[in-house]
Amino acid sequence: MIVGIIGSGGREHAISQMLKYSKKVSELYCFPGNAGTSKIAKNIELDTNDFEKLKNFILKKKINLVIIGPEKPLVNGIVDYLEKFGIKVFGPNKIASQLEGSKIFTKEICKKYDIPTAKFGVFNNVIEANQFIKKSIHPIVIKSDSLASGKGVYICNNEKDSINAAKEIFNGKFGPAKNILIEEFLNGEEMSFFIISDGISIQNFGTAQDHKRVLEGDKGKNTGGMGAYSPSRLLTNQLEEKIIKRIINPTLKAIKDIGTHYKGFLYAGLMIVDNDPYLIEYNVRMGDPECQTILPMLQTDLAEIFMSCCENKLSEIQVKWNNKKSLCVVLCSNGYPDRFDKYVEIENLDKIKLNPDDFIFHAGTDKKNSKVFAVGGRVLNFVSLSEEFADAKKNIIKHLKNLNWSKGFFRKDIGHKVIDK
Ligand code: AMP
Ligand code: GLY
Protein backbone atom coordinates (compact mmCIF):
# COMPACT_ATOMS: atom_id res chain seq x y z
CA MET A 1 0.00 0.00 0.00
CA ILE A 2 0.95 3.64 -0.47
CA VAL A 3 0.96 5.62 2.78
CA GLY A 4 1.05 9.35 3.47
CA ILE A 5 2.11 10.95 6.78
CA ILE A 6 1.25 14.48 7.77
CA GLY A 7 3.75 16.29 9.98
CA SER A 8 7.45 17.10 10.18
CA GLY A 9 8.65 16.21 13.68
CA GLY A 10 10.44 13.39 15.41
CA ARG A 11 7.11 11.66 15.94
CA GLU A 12 6.47 11.58 12.20
CA HIS A 13 9.99 10.35 11.40
CA ALA A 14 9.56 7.51 13.91
CA ILE A 15 6.17 6.58 12.42
CA SER A 16 7.66 6.68 8.90
CA GLN A 17 10.55 4.48 9.96
CA MET A 18 8.24 1.83 11.42
CA LEU A 19 6.10 1.93 8.27
CA LYS A 20 9.23 1.56 6.18
CA TYR A 21 9.89 -1.78 7.96
CA SER A 22 6.45 -3.04 6.92
CA LYS A 23 6.25 -5.47 4.02
CA LYS A 24 2.80 -4.09 3.28
CA VAL A 25 4.09 -0.59 2.47
CA SER A 26 5.37 0.02 -1.05
CA GLU A 27 5.68 3.80 -1.02
CA LEU A 28 5.75 6.54 1.61
CA TYR A 29 4.98 10.24 1.30
CA CYS A 30 5.62 12.81 4.05
CA PHE A 31 3.85 16.16 4.14
CA PRO A 32 6.26 17.94 4.50
CA GLY A 33 8.64 15.67 6.47
CA ASN A 34 12.23 16.52 7.42
CA ALA A 35 15.80 15.55 6.47
CA GLY A 36 15.33 12.19 8.22
CA THR A 37 12.16 11.24 6.38
CA SER A 38 13.69 12.32 3.06
CA LYS A 39 15.91 9.21 3.25
CA ILE A 40 13.00 6.79 3.48
CA ALA A 41 10.04 8.64 1.94
CA LYS A 42 9.19 11.31 -0.61
CA ASN A 43 8.90 14.66 1.14
CA ILE A 44 6.16 16.81 -0.36
CA GLU A 45 6.23 20.57 0.21
CA LEU A 46 2.55 21.34 0.56
CA ASP A 47 0.67 23.62 2.94
CA THR A 48 -0.90 21.05 5.27
CA ASN A 49 -3.53 23.61 6.29
CA ASP A 50 -4.78 23.55 2.70
CA PHE A 51 -6.92 20.43 2.89
CA GLU A 52 -8.09 20.69 -0.70
CA LYS A 53 -4.58 20.69 -2.17
CA LEU A 54 -3.66 17.81 0.09
CA LYS A 55 -6.75 15.85 -0.99
CA ASN A 56 -5.95 16.44 -4.67
CA PHE A 57 -2.42 15.14 -4.22
CA ILE A 58 -3.57 12.09 -2.24
CA LEU A 59 -6.15 11.16 -4.88
CA LYS A 60 -3.71 11.75 -7.73
CA LYS A 61 -1.03 9.52 -6.20
CA LYS A 62 -3.64 6.93 -5.14
CA ILE A 63 -2.46 7.01 -1.53
CA ASN A 64 -4.27 4.21 0.35
CA LEU A 65 -3.84 5.41 3.90
CA VAL A 66 -3.07 8.77 5.50
CA ILE A 67 -1.68 9.16 9.04
CA ILE A 68 -2.10 12.48 10.82
CA GLY A 69 0.74 13.21 13.27
CA PRO A 70 0.04 16.60 14.90
CA GLU A 71 -3.06 17.92 16.64
CA LYS A 72 -3.72 21.07 14.65
CA PRO A 73 -5.05 19.49 11.44
CA LEU A 74 -7.05 17.01 13.55
CA VAL A 75 -8.71 19.77 15.56
CA ASN A 76 -9.39 21.60 12.28
CA GLY A 77 -11.25 18.60 10.89
CA ILE A 78 -8.81 17.09 8.38
CA VAL A 79 -10.14 13.58 9.01
CA ASP A 80 -13.76 14.53 8.27
CA TYR A 81 -12.65 16.39 5.15
CA LEU A 82 -10.50 13.62 3.63
CA GLU A 83 -12.99 10.87 4.49
CA LYS A 84 -15.66 12.70 2.47
CA PHE A 85 -13.55 11.83 -0.58
CA GLY A 86 -13.27 8.15 0.33
CA ILE A 87 -9.71 8.48 1.67
CA LYS A 88 -8.72 6.20 4.59
CA VAL A 89 -7.35 8.35 7.39
CA PHE A 90 -5.92 7.36 10.74
CA GLY A 91 -6.85 9.93 13.38
CA PRO A 92 -9.91 11.18 15.27
CA ASN A 93 -12.57 13.32 13.64
CA LYS A 94 -13.23 16.96 14.46
CA ILE A 95 -15.75 16.37 17.24
CA ALA A 96 -13.60 13.75 18.99
CA SER A 97 -10.53 15.98 18.59
CA GLN A 98 -12.19 18.47 20.92
CA LEU A 99 -10.70 16.30 23.67
CA GLU A 100 -7.49 18.16 22.92
CA GLY A 101 -8.91 21.23 21.16
CA SER A 102 -10.95 22.39 24.13
CA LYS A 103 -9.94 21.78 27.72
CA ILE A 104 -13.43 22.81 28.83
CA PHE A 105 -15.03 20.18 26.55
CA THR A 106 -12.90 17.54 28.30
CA LYS A 107 -13.57 18.90 31.78
CA GLU A 108 -17.33 18.84 31.16
CA ILE A 109 -17.04 15.17 30.13
CA CYS A 110 -15.05 14.47 33.31
CA LYS A 111 -17.81 16.06 35.37
CA LYS A 112 -20.65 14.23 33.64
CA TYR A 113 -18.97 10.80 33.64
CA ASP A 114 -17.29 11.06 37.01
CA ILE A 115 -13.75 10.84 35.62
CA PRO A 116 -11.11 11.72 38.24
CA THR A 117 -9.53 15.09 37.46
CA ALA A 118 -8.54 18.27 39.30
CA LYS A 119 -11.50 20.26 40.65
CA PHE A 120 -12.17 23.18 38.35
CA GLY A 121 -14.22 26.23 37.49
CA VAL A 122 -14.88 27.89 34.13
CA PHE A 123 -15.01 31.69 34.02
CA ASN A 124 -16.12 33.90 31.16
CA ASN A 125 -15.00 37.24 32.58
CA VAL A 126 -12.04 38.60 34.44
CA ILE A 127 -14.05 39.99 37.38
CA GLU A 128 -15.53 36.65 38.39
CA ALA A 129 -12.21 34.91 37.75
CA ASN A 130 -10.46 37.36 40.06
CA GLN A 131 -13.11 36.96 42.77
CA PHE A 132 -12.54 33.21 42.66
CA ILE A 133 -8.75 33.63 42.65
CA LYS A 134 -8.93 35.80 45.79
CA LYS A 135 -10.83 33.05 47.62
CA SER A 136 -8.50 30.25 46.45
CA ILE A 137 -5.75 28.56 48.38
CA HIS A 138 -2.62 28.59 46.21
CA PRO A 139 -1.00 27.05 44.23
CA ILE A 140 -3.71 26.94 41.57
CA VAL A 141 -3.51 26.28 37.84
CA ILE A 142 -4.90 28.69 35.26
CA LYS A 143 -5.41 27.53 31.67
CA SER A 144 -6.56 28.92 28.37
CA ASP A 145 -9.29 26.80 26.78
CA SER A 146 -7.82 26.45 23.30
CA LEU A 147 -4.80 24.80 21.66
CA ALA A 148 -1.73 26.70 22.79
CA SER A 149 1.08 24.24 21.96
CA GLY A 150 1.46 23.42 25.64
CA LYS A 151 1.98 27.05 26.59
CA GLY A 152 -1.42 28.23 27.84
CA VAL A 153 -0.97 26.76 31.34
CA TYR A 154 0.11 28.81 34.37
CA ILE A 155 0.97 27.22 37.70
CA CYS A 156 0.46 30.12 40.10
CA ASN A 157 1.88 30.23 43.60
CA ASN A 158 0.21 33.45 44.68
CA GLU A 159 -2.73 35.73 44.03
CA LYS A 160 -0.70 38.27 42.06
CA ASP A 161 0.55 35.66 39.56
CA SER A 162 -2.97 34.22 39.20
CA ILE A 163 -4.54 37.60 38.47
CA ASN A 164 -1.83 38.30 35.92
CA ALA A 165 -2.35 34.89 34.24
CA ALA A 166 -6.11 35.41 33.95
CA LYS A 167 -5.50 38.88 32.50
CA GLU A 168 -3.01 37.61 29.90
CA ILE A 169 -5.34 34.84 28.73
CA PHE A 170 -8.39 37.13 28.48
CA ASN A 171 -6.24 39.70 26.65
CA GLY A 172 -5.73 37.12 23.91
CA LYS A 173 -2.18 35.90 24.49
CA PHE A 174 -3.24 32.47 23.17
CA GLY A 175 -5.86 33.72 20.71
CA PRO A 176 -9.36 35.03 21.39
CA ALA A 177 -10.48 33.77 24.82
CA LYS A 178 -14.15 33.54 25.81
CA ASN A 179 -13.41 31.39 28.85
CA ILE A 180 -10.62 30.41 31.19
CA LEU A 181 -10.24 27.37 33.34
CA ILE A 182 -9.07 27.53 36.96
CA GLU A 183 -8.00 24.24 38.51
CA GLU A 184 -6.92 22.77 41.78
CA PHE A 185 -3.17 21.95 41.78
CA LEU A 186 -2.55 18.20 41.86
CA ASN A 187 0.58 17.08 43.63
CA GLY A 188 1.90 13.81 42.24
CA GLU A 189 3.97 12.33 39.45
CA GLU A 190 3.00 12.69 35.81
CA MET A 191 2.70 9.82 33.38
CA SER A 192 1.83 9.65 29.69
CA PHE A 193 -0.58 6.82 28.89
CA PHE A 194 -1.47 5.80 25.33
CA ILE A 195 -4.14 3.72 23.70
CA ILE A 196 -5.10 3.12 20.09
CA SER A 197 -8.73 2.73 19.02
CA ASP A 198 -10.76 1.92 15.92
CA GLY A 199 -13.94 3.31 17.46
CA ILE A 200 -15.06 -0.10 18.64
CA SER A 201 -12.22 -1.64 20.64
CA ILE A 202 -8.99 -0.36 22.16
CA GLN A 203 -5.48 -1.66 22.78
CA ASN A 204 -2.86 -0.23 25.08
CA PHE A 205 -0.11 1.59 23.26
CA GLY A 206 2.53 2.06 25.93
CA THR A 207 3.41 4.46 28.70
CA ALA A 208 6.20 6.97 29.09
CA GLN A 209 7.64 9.67 31.30
CA ASP A 210 8.30 12.91 29.49
CA HIS A 211 10.78 15.57 30.70
CA LYS A 212 9.12 18.86 29.83
CA ARG A 213 11.45 21.39 31.44
CA VAL A 214 14.43 22.68 29.52
CA LEU A 215 17.03 22.42 32.30
CA GLU A 216 18.47 19.53 34.24
CA GLY A 217 16.76 18.77 37.55
CA ASP A 218 13.39 19.56 35.87
CA LYS A 219 13.99 23.30 36.08
CA GLY A 220 13.52 26.20 33.69
CA LYS A 221 10.93 26.82 31.02
CA ASN A 222 8.45 24.30 29.65
CA THR A 223 9.28 22.77 26.26
CA GLY A 224 7.66 20.29 23.90
CA GLY A 225 9.69 17.59 25.68
CA MET A 226 13.45 17.18 26.20
CA GLY A 227 13.45 13.40 26.46
CA ALA A 228 11.46 10.46 27.71
CA TYR A 229 11.68 6.91 28.87
CA SER A 230 9.31 3.99 28.51
CA PRO A 231 7.73 2.15 30.23
CA SER A 232 6.82 4.55 33.01
CA ARG A 233 8.26 3.60 36.38
CA LEU A 234 4.80 4.10 37.89
CA LEU A 235 3.08 1.44 35.81
CA THR A 236 1.56 -1.59 37.53
CA ASN A 237 -1.26 -3.86 36.34
CA GLN A 238 -3.46 -2.43 39.05
CA LEU A 239 -2.81 1.18 38.01
CA GLU A 240 -3.37 0.30 34.35
CA GLU A 241 -6.74 -1.22 35.21
CA LYS A 242 -7.75 1.90 37.12
CA ILE A 243 -6.75 4.13 34.19
CA ILE A 244 -8.76 2.13 31.67
CA LYS A 245 -11.77 1.71 33.93
CA ARG A 246 -11.98 5.17 35.47
CA ILE A 247 -10.62 7.36 32.67
CA ILE A 248 -10.35 5.82 29.19
CA ASN A 249 -13.57 3.78 29.02
CA PRO A 250 -15.89 6.53 30.32
CA THR A 251 -14.27 9.03 27.92
CA LEU A 252 -14.88 6.76 24.93
CA LYS A 253 -18.43 6.22 26.13
CA ALA A 254 -18.90 9.98 26.29
CA ILE A 255 -17.70 10.31 22.70
CA LYS A 256 -20.17 7.60 21.64
CA ASP A 257 -22.98 9.31 23.55
CA ILE A 258 -22.29 12.49 21.56
CA GLY A 259 -23.06 10.38 18.49
CA THR A 260 -19.58 9.77 17.12
CA HIS A 261 -16.59 7.47 17.71
CA TYR A 262 -12.89 7.72 18.50
CA LYS A 263 -10.43 6.41 15.93
CA GLY A 264 -6.72 7.04 16.39
CA PHE A 265 -4.20 7.41 19.17
CA LEU A 266 -5.43 8.81 22.46
CA TYR A 267 -2.83 10.18 24.84
CA ALA A 268 -3.90 10.71 28.44
CA GLY A 269 -1.67 13.08 30.40
CA LEU A 270 -2.14 11.81 33.95
CA MET A 271 -1.13 12.83 37.43
CA ILE A 272 -0.66 9.82 39.68
CA VAL A 273 -1.47 10.76 43.25
CA ASP A 274 -1.05 8.00 45.88
CA ASN A 275 -1.42 5.32 43.19
CA ASP A 276 -4.63 6.81 41.81
CA PRO A 277 -4.81 8.35 38.33
CA TYR A 278 -6.19 11.83 37.64
CA LEU A 279 -6.65 13.17 34.14
CA ILE A 280 -4.74 16.40 33.49
CA GLU A 281 -5.34 16.59 29.77
CA TYR A 282 -6.00 14.61 26.64
CA ASN A 283 -4.04 14.78 23.40
CA VAL A 284 -5.59 13.25 20.31
CA ARG A 285 -2.27 12.03 18.87
CA MET A 286 0.94 10.36 19.98
CA GLY A 287 3.25 12.37 22.19
CA ASP A 288 6.51 13.79 20.94
CA PRO A 289 9.10 12.53 22.09
CA GLU A 290 7.03 9.69 23.63
CA CYS A 291 6.25 8.30 20.17
CA GLN A 292 9.94 8.05 19.26
CA THR A 293 10.57 6.33 22.61
CA ILE A 294 7.71 3.80 22.41
CA LEU A 295 7.54 2.80 18.73
CA PRO A 296 10.95 1.05 18.51
CA MET A 297 9.60 -1.52 21.02
CA LEU A 298 6.67 -2.41 18.77
CA GLN A 299 6.79 -5.91 17.30
CA THR A 300 3.59 -5.80 15.28
CA ASP A 301 3.45 -4.33 11.77
CA LEU A 302 2.43 -0.68 12.26
CA ALA A 303 0.84 -0.41 8.81
CA GLU A 304 -1.43 -3.34 9.68
CA ILE A 305 -2.38 -1.71 12.96
CA PHE A 306 -3.28 1.59 11.27
CA MET A 307 -5.21 -0.13 8.49
CA SER A 308 -7.13 -2.30 10.97
CA CYS A 309 -8.22 0.89 12.78
CA CYS A 310 -9.50 2.38 9.55
CA GLU A 311 -11.44 -0.81 8.81
CA ASN A 312 -12.87 -1.28 12.33
CA LYS A 313 -10.87 -4.48 12.77
CA LEU A 314 -8.46 -3.60 15.56
CA SER A 315 -9.78 -6.48 17.69
CA GLU A 316 -8.43 -8.92 15.09
CA ILE A 317 -4.87 -7.76 15.72
CA GLN A 318 -2.68 -8.37 18.72
CA VAL A 319 -0.36 -5.44 19.32
CA LYS A 320 2.89 -6.92 20.64
CA TRP A 321 5.86 -5.26 22.32
CA ASN A 322 9.30 -6.41 23.31
CA ASN A 323 10.27 -6.28 26.97
CA LYS A 324 13.15 -3.86 26.61
CA LYS A 325 13.50 -0.44 28.16
CA SER A 326 13.64 2.58 25.91
CA LEU A 327 15.16 6.00 26.49
CA CYS A 328 15.12 9.07 24.26
CA VAL A 329 17.25 12.21 24.57
CA VAL A 330 16.36 15.25 22.45
CA LEU A 331 19.16 17.34 20.97
CA CYS A 332 18.04 20.98 20.74
CA SER A 333 19.34 24.14 19.09
CA ASN A 334 21.15 26.49 21.48
CA GLY A 335 18.60 29.02 22.74
CA TYR A 336 15.54 26.73 22.62
CA PRO A 337 12.76 27.19 23.78
CA ASP A 338 13.44 30.88 23.14
CA ARG A 339 15.24 32.27 20.11
CA PHE A 340 17.60 30.03 18.16
CA ASP A 341 19.41 30.24 14.81
CA LYS A 342 18.03 28.45 11.78
CA TYR A 343 19.91 26.68 9.00
CA VAL A 344 22.82 25.71 11.20
CA GLU A 345 24.67 22.78 9.69
CA ILE A 346 24.86 19.46 11.57
CA GLU A 347 28.04 17.70 10.49
CA ASN A 348 29.17 14.19 11.40
CA LEU A 349 25.72 12.58 11.22
CA ASP A 350 26.90 10.05 8.66
CA LYS A 351 29.80 9.04 10.89
CA ILE A 352 27.57 7.71 13.66
CA LYS A 353 27.27 3.93 13.56
CA LEU A 354 24.00 2.74 15.03
CA ASN A 355 23.35 -0.75 16.43
CA PRO A 356 19.96 -2.33 15.58
CA ASP A 357 18.56 -1.11 18.91
CA ASP A 358 19.71 2.49 18.41
CA PHE A 359 17.83 5.13 16.42
CA ILE A 360 18.22 8.75 15.45
CA PHE A 361 14.90 10.35 14.56
CA HIS A 362 15.03 13.78 12.99
CA ALA A 363 12.75 16.61 14.12
CA GLY A 364 13.54 20.20 13.05
CA THR A 365 15.96 19.38 10.23
CA ASP A 366 16.17 20.10 6.53
CA LYS A 367 18.41 18.74 3.79
CA LYS A 368 20.04 20.97 1.19
CA ASN A 369 22.77 19.81 -1.24
CA SER A 370 23.17 16.61 0.79
CA LYS A 371 23.94 18.57 3.95
CA VAL A 372 21.70 18.43 7.02
CA PHE A 373 20.68 21.70 8.71
CA ALA A 374 18.92 22.41 11.98
CA VAL A 375 15.79 24.46 11.32
CA GLY A 376 13.82 23.94 14.54
CA GLY A 377 14.22 24.08 18.31
CA ARG A 378 14.13 20.33 18.82
CA VAL A 379 16.47 18.87 16.22
CA LEU A 380 17.31 15.19 16.69
CA ASN A 381 15.98 12.40 18.92
CA PHE A 382 18.51 9.81 20.08
CA VAL A 383 16.75 6.62 21.14
CA SER A 384 18.21 3.40 22.47
CA LEU A 385 16.62 0.17 23.69
CA SER A 386 18.31 -2.00 26.27
CA GLU A 387 17.68 -4.36 29.17
CA GLU A 388 18.42 -1.48 31.53
CA PHE A 389 17.70 2.24 31.22
CA ALA A 390 21.28 3.00 32.30
CA ASP A 391 22.71 1.07 29.32
CA ALA A 392 20.31 2.72 26.90
CA LYS A 393 21.48 6.08 28.18
CA LYS A 394 25.16 5.15 27.85
CA ASN A 395 24.60 4.28 24.18
CA ILE A 396 22.86 7.58 23.57
CA ILE A 397 25.53 9.66 25.28
CA LYS A 398 28.20 7.87 23.23
CA HIS A 399 26.43 8.82 19.99
CA LEU A 400 25.86 12.39 21.13
CA LYS A 401 29.54 12.71 21.96
CA ASN A 402 30.47 11.36 18.54
CA LEU A 403 28.18 13.86 16.87
CA ASN A 404 29.78 16.62 18.91
CA TRP A 405 27.44 19.35 17.63
CA SER A 406 28.62 22.59 19.19
CA LYS A 407 25.47 24.53 18.22
CA GLY A 408 23.14 22.38 20.32
CA PHE A 409 22.48 21.09 23.82
CA PHE A 410 20.66 18.25 25.54
CA ARG A 411 19.62 17.28 29.06
CA LYS A 412 22.13 14.83 30.52
CA ASP A 413 19.73 13.71 33.24
CA ILE A 414 16.90 12.18 31.19
CA GLY A 415 15.58 9.22 33.14
CA HIS A 416 17.17 10.40 36.41
CA LYS A 417 14.33 8.90 38.42
CA VAL A 418 15.05 5.42 37.04
CA ILE A 419 18.81 5.68 36.68
CA ASP A 420 20.48 7.80 39.34
CA LYS A 421 19.09 6.06 42.36
P1 AMP B 1 -1.52 20.68 30.18
O1 AMP B 1 -1.21 21.48 28.94
O2 AMP B 1 -2.92 20.77 30.66
O3 AMP B 1 -1.00 19.26 30.09
O4 AMP B 1 -0.59 21.30 31.32
C1 AMP B 1 0.82 21.41 31.14
C2 AMP B 1 1.53 20.96 32.39
O5 AMP B 1 1.08 21.73 33.53
C3 AMP B 1 1.22 19.52 32.77
O6 AMP B 1 2.03 18.62 32.09
C4 AMP B 1 1.47 19.54 34.25
O7 AMP B 1 2.87 19.48 34.50
C5 AMP B 1 1.03 20.90 34.67
N1 AMP B 1 -0.37 20.88 35.17
C6 AMP B 1 -1.49 21.08 34.45
N2 AMP B 1 -2.60 20.99 35.22
C7 AMP B 1 -2.16 20.71 36.46
C8 AMP B 1 -2.82 20.51 37.73
N3 AMP B 1 -4.14 20.59 37.86
N4 AMP B 1 -2.04 20.24 38.79
C9 AMP B 1 -0.70 20.17 38.69
N5 AMP B 1 -0.02 20.38 37.54
C10 AMP B 1 -0.73 20.64 36.44
N1 GLY C 1 5.56 15.43 24.92
C1 GLY C 1 4.35 16.12 25.14
C2 GLY C 1 3.43 16.17 24.01
O1 GLY C 1 3.61 15.57 22.98
O2 GLY C 1 2.43 16.87 24.14
Side-chain angles (χ1 to χ4, degrees):
M1 66 175 113
I2 308 176
V3 184
I5 299 133
I6 301 208
S8 61
R11 171 181 49 213
E12 288 77 21
H13 186 197
I15 291 173
S16 305
Q17 186 64 62
M18 298 307 134
L19 291 174
K20 187 74 187 168
Y21 295 148
S22 167
K23 289 196 185 75
K24 302 245 147 99
V25 176
S26 55
E27 230 178 317
L28 277 177
Y29 287 95
C30 286
F31 305 92
N34 57 37
T37 65
S38 75
K39 280 194 171 176
I40 52 174
K42 289 192 184 116
N43 281 358
I44 307 296
E45 272 303 327
L46 242 174
D47 177 4
T48 50
N49 295 311
D50 189 336
F51 294 170
E52 195 184 345
K53 272 203 187 125
L54 211 52
K55 174 260 300 175
N56 290 341
F57 187 92
I58 291 164
L59 292 177
K60 192 169 135 209
K61 296 289 179 187
K62 299 190 167 46
I63 295 178
N64 306 101
L65 173 66
V66 180
I67 319 298
I68 317 294
E71 64 278 13
K72 192 164 165 250
L74 292 167
V75 171
N76 289 338
I78 192 168
V79 173
D80 314 56
Y81 180 83
L82 294 178
E83 283 183 343
K84 270 198 300 198
F85 296 92
I87 297 166
K88 286 202 170 87
V89 196
F90 177 81
N93 62 28
K94 188 170 183 176
I95 295 178
S97 296
Q98 287 297 300
L99 285 174
E100 179 164 1
S102 165
K103 289 185 191 293
I104 293 172
F105 173 86
T106 299
K107 281 295 208 183
E108 294 298 344
I109 287 180
C110 289
K111 199 155 96 185
K112 193 162 164 200
Y113 290 81
D114 216 8
I115 295 169
T117 187
K119 291 191 196 80
F120 71 102
V122 177
F123 299 88
N124 63 12
N125 67 78
V126 81
I127 296 167
E128 280 176 32
N130 285 349
Q131 278 167 354
F132 182 86
I133 287 167
K134 284 180 184 151
K135 282 189 292 184
S136 299
I137 298 164
H138 283 75
I140 55 173
V141 185
I142 305 201
K143 300 183 177 181
S144 79
D145 181 37
S146 56
L147 275 188
S149 310
K151 292 193 185 86
V153 175
Y154 296 75
I155 309 230
C156 303
N157 286 314
N158 56 56
E159 192 179 305
K160 189 170 151 251
D161 289 354
S162 294
I163 287 173
N164 183 47
K167 192 170 123 194
E168 284 193 5
I169 296 172
F170 274 123
N171 282 348
K173 186 158 179 193
F174 308 99
K178 279 202 203 109
N179 295 299
I180 64 164
L181 196 64
I182 304 187
E183 279 185 20
E184 157 201 29
F185 177 80
L186 292 174
N187 202 354
E189 190 167 332
E190 280 181 70
M191 166 174 165
S192 306
F193 187 88
F194 302 89
I195 60 119
I196 190 167
S197 172
D198 62 354
I200 300 167
S201 67
I202 64 168
Q203 299 217 25
N204 291 356
F205 215 80
T207 58
Q209 298 285 138
D210 194 6
H211 297 62
K212 286 206 170 98
R213 305 290 202 91
V214 69
L215 300 177
E216 278 156 32
D218 296 318
K219 298 202 169 75
K221 289 192 174 166
N222 252 334
T223 69
M226 299 294 294
Y229 68 85
S230 172
S232 158
R233 70 172 185 145
L234 302 170
L235 191 70
T236 60
N237 288 341
Q238 194 199 19
L239 180 62
E240 189 172 276
E241 269 172 38
K242 285 183 191 170
I243 295 166
I244 298 285
K245 192 163 153 247
R246 297 180 190 172
I247 296 179
I248 304 292
N249 285 346
T251 303
L252 296 177
K253 175 159 190 334
I255 296 295
K256 279 208 179 106
D257 291 347
I258 297 171
T260 185
H261 62 280
Y262 195 96
K263 166 178 44 107
F265 289 120
L266 182 61
Y267 160 0
L270 305 171
M271 189 70 86
I272 311 300
V273 186
D274 298 331
N275 238 348
D276 279 324
Y278 291 80
L279 181 71
I280 294 184
E281 63 156 1
Y282 272 127
N283 297 304
V284 295
R285 52 177 174 79
M286 270 309 275
D288 183 337
E290 291 97 324
C291 185
Q292 299 87 297
T293 317
I294 290 173
L295 277 187
M297 294 185 285
L298 184 65
Q299 291 188 315
T300 309
D301 185 318
L302 186 58
E304 270 183 49
I305 298 175
F306 285 149
M307 203 42 131
S308 76
C309 285
C310 293
E311 294 175 341
N312 300 332
K313 289 180 185 162
L314 180 63
S315 62
E316 293 175 16
I317 281 197
Q318 210 195 341
V319 179
K320 287 197 189 133
W321 304 93
N322 71 29
N323 284 327
K324 292 193 180 157
K325 301 201 161 68
S326 178
L327 194 98
C328 169
V329 176
V330 181
L331 179 64
C332 300
S333 297
N334 283 340
Y336 176 76
D338 297 321
R339 217 201 67 79
F340 51 84
D341 291 335
K342 286 194 174 174
Y343 281 95
V344 180
E345 192 180 347
I346 310 169
E347 298 112 341
N348 300 332
L349 259 176
D350 287 341
K351 291 186 194 138
I352 297 179
K353 296 280 167 277
L354 295 175
N355 295 320
D357 274 347
D358 295 347
F359 304 81
I360 297 178
F361 297 121
H362 288 234
T365 65
D366 194 11
K367 200 168 190 175
K368 287 238 170 344
N369 306 325
S370 54
K371 287 181 176 171
V372 175
F373 295 90
V375 294
R378 293 191 293 170
V379 178
L380 295 170
N381 303 268
F382 287 71
V383 179
S384 182
L385 307 189
S386 199
E387 303 301 322
E388 301 294 337
F389 285 120
D391 295 330
K393 191 163 150 186
K394 268 186 214 145
N395 294 335
I396 291 172
I397 299 293
K398 181 183 75 193
H399 294 315
L400 278 158
K401 276 194 178 145
N402 285 342
L403 185 72
N404 193 22
W405 190 46
S406 62
K407 306 294 168 39
F409 73 101
F410 61 92
R411 266 183 67 170
K412 294 179 193 66
D413 68 339
I414 299 300
H416 58 92
K417 287 193 175 150
V418 281
I419 296 172
D420 306 324
K421 282 199 189 117

